Amino acid sequence: MHISLYRKYRSKNFDEIIGQAPIITTLKNAIKSGKISHAYLFSGPRGTGKTSTARVFAKALNCSNRNGVNPCDKCEQCKKITLGTAVNVIEIDAASNRKIEDIRDLKDKIAYKTLEGIYKVYIIDEVHMLTNEAFNAILKTLEEPPANTVFILATTEPQKVPITIASRCQRFDFGRISSREIINHLKKIAKEEKIKIGEAALESISRACEGSLRDAISLLDQLSSFCTDEIKIENVIEVLGTSEPQFIFDLAQSLIQGDEKKAVSLTDKAILEGVPSPQIIKDLLWHFRNMLVVKIGSEEILEIPKEQIDLIKSQSKQLQSNEIKEIVKKLSSIDSEMRYHSSPRLLLDITIVDLCSRNAKSQKISEIKLNATENNFNNKIESKEETKENPTIENSTNPTTDVFTTIKANWKEILEKIKSKSPFGYVSLSEAEPYQIDKNGRLIISFKKGFSFHKSRIEEPQNKTLLEECIKSISGKEISVSCIISETQQTNPKTIQSQSISVSDLEEIFDGNVIA
Ligand SMILES: [Zn+2]
């Protein structure tokens, strides 16, 4: 029979309890000094060691062969407590013992007197779930506590415990267990059990379990039975299904608000915590897809908790249906592109910044700018306005040719300007070359075949406006830009060669953080 890892590695003494040092010290001192309270209230999130500590404490009180303050875990009392057969240590799960008979049973047990020198310990889990009748029975006992009777009341919701009870207890608040402590403990178990698991997978488990050691051990157990070889982060993601809902919600919010800085830093954090780039895109895709489902009023088809649906609903109010649809489309095409991309992380970053620039407000501003640019262009070409920065084009009879020559000659400089303002725009623009000025006076830039992703990036209003502004600052001309894909694989021989971008360039652009 398979004994669950959680049961197998349950703390046997005070020193094995993880992450609750101040509480353990106090309880050890109580054992040492023999000053035992009649009632303890252990509160804290699930899986943080409340019932394990209660059992160790019950053992320490009754162990016939104590080793200092620690129970031996081998004597009859210790063994019986482990098996749950000790008559003097009564464990009750309040959540599932709410019937009248259960309460009568509890009352009978309380009435039963214990042998001299032996502690009667009641460990009541999820105590806030008890009925009023049961609380009254406990209260009566606490008002006139019999000798050697100890109540250990454990709860995840201490505020629901009647104040008359709580005020008679010595209270301990169990905190969430730190990621580091969870990882170290899992490593120990993995070593003992000969389970192969990488650091990233361990981090991912601990992140998902939000400070609950019990959940983390159960997850390791589940993964070890499911992976025949080393447990990898992909397996963890597979078992868990998704990144943290809160992370995706926050990331979506920063995309909606067009907060590039926040979006990139959130993404970076998730990557460092072990979520793979394609998973982030997938999770975002599902999030916006769910948003669309909620928006069209079909939320009943969603298989997610109601609180999450409510969050999605409130978030969806910030966007129009067609805007959400556009985002879903974009993410879905990136999702398939991810599989073949040589640098998923780079594609993720570009997508994140792209989506930020899509938000309604910035789009509107860009459109206004764009219109203004086009109007100005027509006027200014006619008036043959010249610039101070580029005196060479003075007295020119053909401004169109000269503007193109200037742009072509200064293309590298334009790229540099873009680089400082939009690293992602720079990456895409580096795949393009100035092609010609068309009859409408627009600058046509051409991308090689197969570079439509970069083309559409530059066509984004924000990037387009940025490029036009850079061109203006170099050439002195307000000029509208239009993108094409060149027919041939070859670059246009008439134009200058664009720089090709190497990995070291990327590292420089992204501050040394290119992670595939
Ligand atoms: Zn013992």
mmCIF file of all heavy atoms in Angstrom, residues 59 63-66 71-78, ligand 1:
data_model
loop_
_atom_site.group_PDB
_atom_site.id
_atom_site.type_symbol
_atom_site.label_atom_id
_atom_site.label_comp_id
_atom_site.label_asym_id
_atom_site.label_seq_id
_atom_site.Cartn_x
_atom_site.Cartn_y
_atom_site.Cartn_z
ATOM 1 N N LYS A 59 1.791 14.294 22.004
ATOM 2 C CA LYS A 59 2.750 13.209 22.267
ATOM 3 C C LYS A 59 3.720 13.619 23.370
ATOM 4 O O LYS A 59 4.001 12.839 24.288
ATOM 5 C CB LYS A 59 3.545 12.871 21.002
ATOM 6 C CG LYS A 59 2.772 12.049 19.989
ATOM 7 C CD LYS A 59 3.654 11.768 18.769
ATOM 8 C CE LYS A 59 2.843 11.141 17.657
ATOM 9 N NZ LYS A 59 3.652 10.934 16.448
ATOM 10 N N CYS A 63 4.236 11.202 26.352
ATOM 11 C CA CYS A 63 5.297 10.240 26.033
ATOM 12 C C CYS A 63 5.947 9.716 27.319
ATOM 13 O O CYS A 63 6.251 10.474 28.230
ATOM 14 C CB CYS A 63 6.354 10.906 25.151
ATOM 15 S SG CYS A 63 7.742 9.827 24.776
ATOM 16 N N SER A 64 6.143 8.391 27.360
ATOM 17 C CA SER A 64 6.736 7.797 28.559
ATOM 18 C C SER A 64 8.261 7.773 28.466
ATOM 19 O O SER A 64 8.937 7.383 29.402
ATOM 20 C CB SER A 64 6.194 6.378 28.749
ATOM 21 O OG SER A 64 6.486 5.616 27.588
ATOM 22 N N ASN A 65 8.778 8.170 27.346
ATOM 23 C CA ASN A 65 10.225 8.068 27.154
ATOM 24 C C ASN A 65 10.767 9.325 26.461
ATOM 25 O O ASN A 65 11.489 9.241 25.476
ATOM 26 C CB ASN A 65 10.512 6.815 26.312
ATOM 27 C CG ASN A 65 11.987 6.468 26.309
ATOM 28 O OD1 ASN A 65 12.731 6.884 27.203
ATOM 29 N ND2 ASN A 65 12.420 5.725 25.287
ATOM 30 N N ARG A 66 10.337 10.487 26.967
ATOM 31 C CA ARG A 66 10.652 11.736 26.292
ATOM 32 C C ARG A 66 12.149 11.996 26.226
ATOM 33 O O ARG A 66 12.878 11.726 27.174
ATOM 34 C CB ARG A 66 9.953 12.893 27.012
ATOM 35 C CG ARG A 66 9.431 13.923 26.049
ATOM 36 C CD ARG A 66 8.474 14.872 26.707
ATOM 37 N NE ARG A 66 9.081 15.503 27.865
ATOM 38 C CZ ARG A 66 8.359 16.020 28.867
ATOM 39 N NH1 ARG A 66 7.041 15.939 28.846
ATOM 40 N NH2 ARG A 66 8.954 16.593 29.878
ATOM 41 N N PRO A 71 9.007 14.181 22.004
ATOM 42 C CA PRO A 71 8.476 12.831 22.216
ATOM 43 C C PRO A 71 9.367 11.802 21.515
ATOM 44 O O PRO A 71 10.031 12.122 20.529
ATOM 45 C CB PRO A 71 7.094 12.886 21.567
ATOM 46 C CG PRO A 71 7.161 14.000 20.575
ATOM 47 C CD PRO A 71 8.133 14.994 21.131
ATOM 48 N N CYS A 72 9.355 10.562 22.014
ATOM 49 C CA CYS A 72 10.230 9.535 21.430
ATOM 50 C C CYS A 72 9.671 8.999 20.115
ATOM 51 O O CYS A 72 10.401 8.522 19.271
ATOM 52 C CB CYS A 72 10.429 8.386 22.422
ATOM 53 S SG CYS A 72 8.954 7.342 22.601
ATOM 54 N N ASP A 73 8.356 9.061 19.977
ATOM 55 C CA ASP A 73 7.646 8.553 18.801
ATOM 56 C C ASP A 73 7.708 7.031 18.685
ATOM 57 O O ASP A 73 7.384 6.467 17.652
ATOM 58 C CB ASP A 73 8.165 9.215 17.511
ATOM 59 C CG ASP A 73 7.078 9.250 16.441
ATOM 60 O OD1 ASP A 73 5.942 9.641 16.781
ATOM 61 O OD2 ASP A 73 7.346 8.866 15.290
ATOM 62 N N LYS A 74 8.159 6.372 19.759
ATOM 63 C CA LYS A 74 8.288 4.907 19.697
ATOM 64 C C LYS A 74 7.490 4.212 20.795
ATOM 65 O O LYS A 74 7.114 3.058 20.653
ATOM 66 C CB LYS A 74 9.764 4.511 19.822
ATOM 67 C CG LYS A 74 10.589 4.879 18.590
ATOM 68 C CD LYS A 74 12.005 4.309 18.693
ATOM 69 C CE LYS A 74 12.847 4.725 17.503
ATOM 70 N NZ LYS A 74 13.677 5.911 17.792
ATOM 71 N N CYS A 75 7.262 4.920 21.918
ATOM 72 C CA CYS A 75 6.557 4.278 23.026
ATOM 73 C C CYS A 75 5.090 4.032 22.651
ATOM 74 O O CYS A 75 4.615 4.512 21.626
ATOM 75 C CB CYS A 75 6.655 5.131 24.292
ATOM 76 S SG CYS A 75 5.694 6.651 24.198
ATOM 77 N N GLU A 76 4.404 3.300 23.504
ATOM 78 C CA GLU A 76 3.021 2.923 23.209
ATOM 79 C C GLU A 76 2.131 4.142 22.991
ATOM 80 O O GLU A 76 1.348 4.198 22.044
ATOM 81 C CB GLU A 76 2.482 2.072 24.371
ATOM 82 C CG GLU A 76 1.369 1.142 23.940
ATOM 83 C CD GLU A 76 0.793 0.378 25.128
ATOM 84 O OE1 GLU A 76 1.535 0.193 26.125
ATOM 85 O OE2 GLU A 76 -0.380 0.007 25.053
ATOM 86 N N GLN A 77 2.262 5.130 23.899
ATOM 87 C CA GLN A 77 1.466 6.349 23.784
ATOM 88 C C GLN A 77 1.712 7.049 22.442
ATOM 89 O O GLN A 77 0.774 7.386 21.722
ATOM 90 C CB GLN A 77 1.818 7.308 24.941
ATOM 91 C CG GLN A 77 0.890 7.201 26.131
ATOM 92 C CD GLN A 77 -0.538 7.644 25.797
ATOM 93 O OE1 GLN A 77 -0.760 8.681 25.180
ATOM 94 N NE2 GLN A 77 -1.507 6.831 26.202
ATOM 95 N N CYS A 78 2.993 7.235 22.124
ATOM 96 C CA CYS A 78 3.338 7.922 20.870
ATOM 97 C C CYS A 78 2.754 7.175 19.675
ATOM 98 O O CYS A 78 2.155 7.781 18.786
ATOM 99 C CB CYS A 78 4.855 8.042 20.724
ATOM 100 S SG CYS A 78 5.581 9.303 21.780
HETATM 101 ZN ZN ZN B 1 6.957 8.342 23.284
#
